[in-house]
Amino acid sequence: MPNIKSAVKRVKTTSNRTLRNAAAKSALRTSIKKFEAALASNDTNTASFLKQALRSLDKAVTKGLVHKNTAARKKSRLTKKFNKANIA
């Protein structure tokens, strides 16, 4: 544990930020998994799950959790899976 007051504050701040980021990243992964599960089970709400997954990816970019190119790549792949399932 640091002795300097500012260093103590940095430790607390970093800890809070880490927890918040972990929760947000987990929610992102959950939304993507929900979409993929709906896609696999031929659910009728697949489009809404896709919309939610894309929205959570966009939010992750604005919060700095995911790089914008990574999010674009994931969005592209999810949309591609959705379109492929709808054609078949």
Side-chain angles (χ1 to χ4, degrees):
M1 192 70 187
N3 295 325
I4 300 166
K5 192 174 183 179
S6 62
V8 170
K9 184 179 179 188
R10 292 305 311 160
V11 168
K12 287 181 185 176
T13 307
T14 304
S15 151
N16 290 338
R17 187 178 294 147
T18 303
L19 288 174
R20 191 179 323 116
N21 286 344
K25 210 161 199 179
S26 175
L28 169 66
R29 285 193 292 263
T30 301
S31 70
I32 292 172
K33 284 180 185 175
K34 280 183 181 178
F35 164 70
E36 289 176 341
L39 195 64
S41 65
N42 293 327
D43 194 358
T44 57
N45 295 338
T46 309
S48 65
F49 283 119
L50 174 65
K51 186 177 179 182
Q52 182 60 37
L54 298 182
R55 186 164 186 252
S56 59
L57 276 165
D58 287 333
K59 280 189 172 184
V61 170
T62 60
K63 293 176 192 291
L65 296 173
V66 179
H67 192 271
K68 66 178 183 174
N69 290 352
T70 303
R73 183 180 67 242
K74 288 181 187 237
K75 285 168 62 174
S76 174
R77 288 178 181 171
L78 292 175
T79 307
K80 201 172 181 181
K81 281 182 185 179
F82 177 73
N83 290 338
K84 189 174 181 184
N86 279 353
I87 290 170

